[in-house]
Amino acid sequence: MTNSTSTTTTAAPRAGRREWTALGVLMLPLLLVSMDVSVLYFAIPAISADLEPSGTQQLWIFDIYAFVLAGLLMTMGSLGDRIGRRRLLLIGAAAFGAASLTAAYANSAETLIAARAVLGIGGATLMPSTMALVRTMFTDPAQRAKAIGIWSGVMTGGIALGSVLSGVLVQYFWWGSVFLVNLPAMVLLLVLGPVLLPESKNPEPGRFDLLSVPLSMAAVLPVIYGLKEIPSEGVHPLYVVSIAVGLLFAALFVHRQRTAAAPMISPALFRGRGFAPAILLNLVSAFAMMGSAFFTTQYLQSVLGKSALEAALWALLPSVPIGMAAPVATQLVQKGVNRAYVVAAGFGIAATGYVMLALAGTDSLVLVLVACGVLASGIVMVMSQMTDLALGAAPVERAGAASSLLETGQEFGGALGMAVLGSVGTAIYRHEIPSAAPAPAHETLGGALAVAGQLPGRAGEALVTAARAAFTDGMRGAAVAAAAVLVVAAIAAATTLRRVHVRETAPVAEPEAAETVEAVESVA
């Protein structure tokens, strides 16, 4: 019996210039979708002055894009497998462009909220479609790994770029310009997509399970909502109930997928070697990435006193080494280093970044930026490898569903990271803030700074100093907790992935056929 498990077929055809050019076209929607997560960071004040939204409307303007996107990812991934990934991509691009134009010239908060919701629908079609098309265009494992490395780098870079771009555009133009930048790229995609991108879909998808659509949204949205609110509002019963309701619907959704004749997400996907560990480890990666972002953005602005635009510009520096992380990981795997050890090393590097963050004081700009660069580089190494592993383990006809599961897992992981690590940091902050401080100062650092501005002379300065020190203590405590999680993840990756070497996957076998394959492999 061999000491590793692999699933191989005959050599896959290699992609040529056409496919690599098509990859460049695919990066356009991916970049814009990832940028739209953060593109309102600097535009919100200008929007508030112009449209005068209520507090609730302002929250919806900011959050509805991410909520709709997360809730529809699985639906759109499965739909792309049925009607064609290129077709769905182009439909989504048209919707994204039209919604961007509407948002740019919105004359009321309600119109802007509706446009942002449609942007979320478009984003949910674009993200799994781009990843699934990468899977179908690059059937050679080595080329696919390189393409996925580029995909991961563009997605990570887009989030950082979005906030900076919005700051520049709002400063020199008007807030609607942050949406208009989407239009040229979407027009280019609509023109070049039909020429360069191949159409692909599941030849035998079965009937689309309509019941799974509301079940999937009811499973995802309440959990994401509860996890997003806990870091800022605390563990309120409403948020706990929201998470519990979401988990109940998640159980119903899983039951539906296991019993439906043509499920939205086929359970057979999880029989692909390495698929389930890839989904879980990718979730942990998002946990670490978004958990750090919760603290570092506040640290740059509220502890170091940088303006929002200055903070965004400084935050670009850690993205420089990120561009090298995925290619390095890919090269190591292709040169024969076991993927398990590369992924474990990625988690170890990210844990080192968190350890560095745990050493930060209230005036540690360089240390924090270096820590963020180290942390993000390790995470991108893991994400690129887990994406490649999951897509390689999934059959081509289910590439859209596989992609949507990866991205939904990332949304859960990001929200969980902010909730867990944010709660750890908040608990430490509230313990460290002086008991004599005014009540708002005990809630958040922002509250403390606002109150301090109303206090006379040295009393205000003392409160600012104490609050910044308490927040930094909370960040250090959360960093230690996150480093521990990543060390456990590194050990899990080294043990669970050590014998998984997926080079190319044939269509998923039925249970009886899968047992036969395993029996043959055990004899070999």
Side-chain angles (χ1 to χ4, degrees):
M1 184 174 179
T2 60
N3 62 357
S4 65
T5 303
S6 62
T7 305
T8 61
T9 62
T10 57
R14 291 180 60 82
R17 182 179 299 176
R18 180 188 180 90
E19 285 77 16
W20 288 107
T21 304
L23 177 65
V25 173
L26 281 179
M27 293 305 99
L28 293 174
L30 176 64
L31 180 65
L32 294 174
V33 169
S34 58
M35 282 171 51
D36 262 44
V37 174
S38 57
V39 78
L40 288 188
Y41 282 174
F42 298 130
I44 281 292
I47 292 172
S48 298
D50 190 13
L51 301 184
E52 299 181 350
S54 66
T56 301
Q57 287 175 327
Q58 181 170 306
L59 289 175
W60 277 114
I61 289 170
F62 198 87
D63 289 336
I64 195 167
Y65 172 80
F67 282 138
V68 172
L69 187 148
L72 288 176
L73 278 171
M74 286 190 288
T75 297
M76 294 305 180
S78 178
L79 184 62
D81 287 343
R82 285 167 166 79
I83 70 170
R85 291 108 188 195
R86 185 183 68 182
R87 177 183 297 177
L88 185 64
L89 178 71
L90 297 178
I91 293 172
F96 201 87
S100 297
L101 187 62
T102 302
Y105 294 100
N107 56 9
S108 68
E110 293 83 0
T111 302
L112 184 55
I113 291 170
R116 288 278 288 171
V118 178
L119 283 170
I121 296 173
T125 68
L126 296 173
M127 291 183 72
S129 295
T130 58
M131 191 184 291
L133 285 167
V134 168
R135 171 68 174 90
T136 57
M137 290 191 304
F138 297 92
T139 55
D140 176 74
Q143 289 187 319
R144 184 177 65 235
K146 292 178 181 178
I148 288 174
I150 296 172
W151 192 97
S152 301
V154 168
M155 183 176 178
T156 306
I159 296 174
L161 184 60
S163 59
V164 177
L165 182 63
S166 69
V168 173
L169 290 173
V170 170
Q171 182 171 345
Y172 292 104
F173 300 98
W174 96 108
W175 62 262
S177 61
V178 303
F179 298 107
L180 289 183
V181 294
N182 296 334
L183 296 181
M186 290 303 163
V187 171
L188 192 61
L189 175 61
L190 289 171
V191 172
L192 297 180
V195 178
L196 293 174
L197 299 175
E199 183 59 283
S200 64
K201 60 182 178 180
N202 188 343
E204 298 178 358
R207 294 181 61 185
F208 188 72
D209 185 28
L210 291 176
L211 180 59
S212 290
V213 175
L215 283 178
S216 67
M217 296 186 70
V220 172
L221 293 180
V223 176
I224 295 290
Y225 170 74
L227 292 176
K228 280 183 175 291
E229 293 298 320
I230 284 174
S232 58
E233 302 295 334
V235 185
H236 190 278
L238 172 63
Y239 308 138
V240 175
V241 170
S242 179
I243 293 172
V245 169
L247 293 177
L248 173 62
F249 277 104
L252 294 174
F253 177 75
V254 170
H255 176 73
R256 177 67 181 179
Q257 305 318 295
R258 298 184 66 178
T259 57
M264 176 188 291
I265 304 293
S266 173
L269 275 172
F270 291 89
R271 290 198 291 271
R273 298 191 182 280
F275 185 82
I279 297 292
L280 182 59
L281 293 173
N282 201 55
L283 184 152
V284 175
S285 300
F287 172 97
M289 183 72 84
M290 294 306 297
S292 69
F294 177 81
F295 291 99
T296 54
T297 53
Q298 293 186 72
Y299 180 87
L300 290 174
Q301 293 184 64
S302 299
V303 176
L304 297 183
K306 305 294 183 185
S307 69
L309 184 55
E310 285 178 324
L313 290 171
W314 279 114
L316 278 180
L317 290 180
S319 65
V320 174
I322 294 175
M324 299 181 289
V328 168
T330 299
Q331 285 296 317
L332 289 173
V333 172
Q334 291 179 356
K335 289 183 177 180
V337 180
N338 194 303
R339 191 199 303 263
Y341 303 137
V342 173
V343 173
F347 277 124
I349 292 170
T352 301
Y354 263 119
V355 170
M356 296 172 67
L357 200 61
L359 301 176
T362 55
D363 190 19
S364 303
L365 174 61
V366 175
L367 178 59
V368 168
L369 292 178
V370 172
C372 289
V374 172
L375 192 162
S377 296
I379 292 301
V380 170
M381 288 177 65
V382 174
M383 284 185 165
S384 62
Q385 290 303 306
M386 292 302 90
T387 301
D388 182 45
L389 177 59
L391 292 185
V396 174
E397 62 268 22
R398 291 177 182 148
S403 302
S404 67
L405 279 175
L406 268 172
E407 288 155 4
T408 303
Q410 284 184 193
E411 294 291 333
F412 274 121
L416 189 63
M418 294 181 69
V420 173
L421 298 181
S423 297
V424 170
T426 300
I428 295 174
Y429 169 84
R430 291 173 178 171
H431 181 267
E432 296 295 326
I433 197 76
S435 58
H442 285 268
E443 295 301 318
T444 63
L445 174 57
L449 297 180
V451 170
Q454 303 171 5
L455 297 178
R458 293 183 178 179
E461 294 176 2
L463 178 58
V464 168
T465 300
R468 286 173 171 170
F471 177 86
T472 305
D473 287 342
M475 182 177 73
R476 288 198 293 255
V480 171
V485 170
L486 292 176
V487 168
V488 172
I491 296 171
T495 54
T496 60
L497 301 180
R498 187 164 55 88
R499 298 189 176 211
V500 177
H501 301 282
V502 178
R503 289 183 170 82
E504 191 63 38
T505 305
V508 172
E510 295 302 316
E512 297 80 1
E515 293 170 1
T516 304
V517 170
E518 291 175 1
V520 172
E521 288 178 341
S522 65
V523 172

